Amino acid sequence: MSNLILDIGNTFAKVTVFQQDNIVAWWRVERDSLVEKINSVLSENQIRKAIICNVSVVIPELESVFKLQQIEFIHLSATTSLPFRNLYATPRTLGKDRIALAAAAVGYYPARNVLVIDAGSCVTYEFINDQNEYLGGAISPGLKMRFAAMHSFTAGLPDLRDQPFDDLPLIGDETKTGMQIGAAEGLAREIDGFINDYKKKYSDLTVIFTGGDHEILSKRLKNSIFAAPNFLAKGLNYILEFNLNK
C-alpha cells in the first residue's frame, strides 16, 4: 500500500507516490488536469492515505475522489498536528511549504540542529534546533526572481530567466554575463553567508539544500551541504504518517 502526496501550486501540481519512505513515482501536472491524473494514479496504485497541500483554493473534486475510493486524507493547514514544536511568532502565516520542510528535517535528522535551504521562486531558510523546535528563518528572492527584477525595474536589461549558464568568470565583460554573475554568484555568496552565521551560533549544524535551483547553486557554495531532492514531498509524507498513525 502507498501514500499519495499532492503539492498543489497556482498553475502546476506535484504528485508523488510513496511506499514507506521511498518515492516510487512522481509527476508534474497542470492543475486543470489534476483530478484526471489522480484518477489515473489511483487506478494503477494501491493508495491508502493522501495529503493535500495547496497554496490557494481547495479543489472539492479531490475530496470526492478520495471519499469514493475510501482513502484516508488530510489537508495541511495551520491546525494540522506537527512532529515538531512550532515557535514561529505567527504560525497561521507560516507557508505550508516551510512547514513541510521543517517536518522533513525532524523526520530525517531528529534531535539535531538543521538548516534547510529551499532554492525555488524564493529562497527560504528554515531552522530546527536539536530540541526539535522550529524557530523560523528567512525568505529571499530566488534566482529567477532576481533576473525578473533586473529586467522589470530597468529600461535596458534583458530577461534572462530562461537563459542557461554554467561556469561564470569573476568579471563579466558584457551585460548578459554580468547579470548572470550578479544573480547566481551573488545568491551563492548570500547562502554561504547565512550558513556561516548559523554555524557560529549553533554547533554541529546539518545543512540541507533542496529546491528547483539547488543544482545550479550548490556547486557554487563553499560550505558543505546535503543535497536533498524532493525534501518537501518527504516532509509532507512524514506529516501524513504522523497524523494518521496516531
Side-chain angles (χ1 to χ4, degrees):
M1 301 295 282
S2 303
N3 291 348
L4 182 63
I5 311 303
L6 303 181
D7 179 16
I8 306 171
N10 289 313
T11 306
F12 292 96
K14 295 178 182 177
V15 181
T16 310
V17 177
F18 276 83
Q19 287 182 353
Q20 296 181 336
D21 288 337
N22 300 315
I23 295 174
V24 295
W26 70 274
W27 302 267
R28 182 174 181 264
V29 300
E30 292 186 358
R31 202 172 91 167
D32 292 344
S33 305
L34 181 58
V35 175
E36 179 182 354
K37 181 63 181 179
I38 294 307
N39 279 313
S40 173
V41 172
L42 294 180
S43 69
E44 298 172 0
N45 297 270
Q46 290 185 312
I47 303 297
R48 65 187 179 95
K49 302 176 186 176
I51 184 171
I52 303 171
C53 174
N54 54 303
V55 299
S56 53
V57 298
V58 174
I59 303 176
E61 295 89 342
L62 285 176
E63 293 189 9
S64 299
V65 169
F66 291 147
K67 290 176 181 177
L68 182 64
Q69 298 284 345
Q70 296 183 324
I71 294 170
E72 290 185 281
F73 69 94
I74 63 172
H75 277 281
L76 180 60
S77 71
T79 61
T80 302
S81 296
L82 299 173
F84 57 87
R85 187 181 177 201
N86 189 354
L87 299 183
Y88 203 63
T90 55
R92 290 189 175 275
T93 70
L94 182 60
K96 296 172 185 176
D97 55 338
R98 303 180 71 191
I99 292 172
L101 293 169
V106 171
Y108 288 86
Y109 302 92
R112 295 171 68 173
N113 292 320
V114 182
L115 177 64
V116 183
I117 303 169
D118 183 11
S121 298
C122 288
V123 179
T124 60
Y125 302 82
E126 318 301 343
F127 180 71
I128 304 89
N129 66 19
D130 56 10
Q131 303 300 308
N132 289 342
E133 296 172 327
Y134 174 74
L135 303 187
I139 307 172
S140 176
L143 190 57
K144 289 187 178 180
M145 193 178 292
R146 292 172 191 233
F147 284 129
M150 284 190 280
H151 173 65
S152 299
F153 291 100
T154 63
L157 294 180
D159 186 353
L160 301 182
R161 281 176 290 182
D162 297 319
Q163 295 293 313
F165 61 89
D166 193 3
D167 294 331
L168 293 171
L170 176 64
I171 301 172
D173 61 1
E174 44 86 25
T175 301
K176 177 181 176 181
T177 305
M179 292 173 65
Q180 290 170 332
I181 294 169
E185 301 296 342
L187 182 52
R189 283 159 177 74
E190 172 196 298
I191 293 169
D192 267 327
F194 271 109
I195 294 172
N196 289 336
D197 287 345
Y198 275 89
K199 282 183 174 179
K200 291 175 185 176
K201 189 168 183 178
Y202 298 98
S203 60
D204 300 322
L205 182 71
T206 298
V207 181
I208 308 300
F209 201 37
T210 189
D213 287 331
H214 84 276
E215 290 186 3
I216 295 173
L217 294 166
S218 60
K219 59 187 177 183
R220 295 181 158 81
L221 300 179
K222 292 182 171 57
N223 280 283
S224 297
I225 52 94
F226 289 101
N230 303 308
F231 203 60
L232 193 151
K234 292 177 179 178
L236 291 174
N237 188 56
Y238 186 54
I239 292 172
L240 177 62
E241 290 291 333
F242 179 79
N243 278 267
L244 295 187
N245 285 340
K246 290 193 298 184

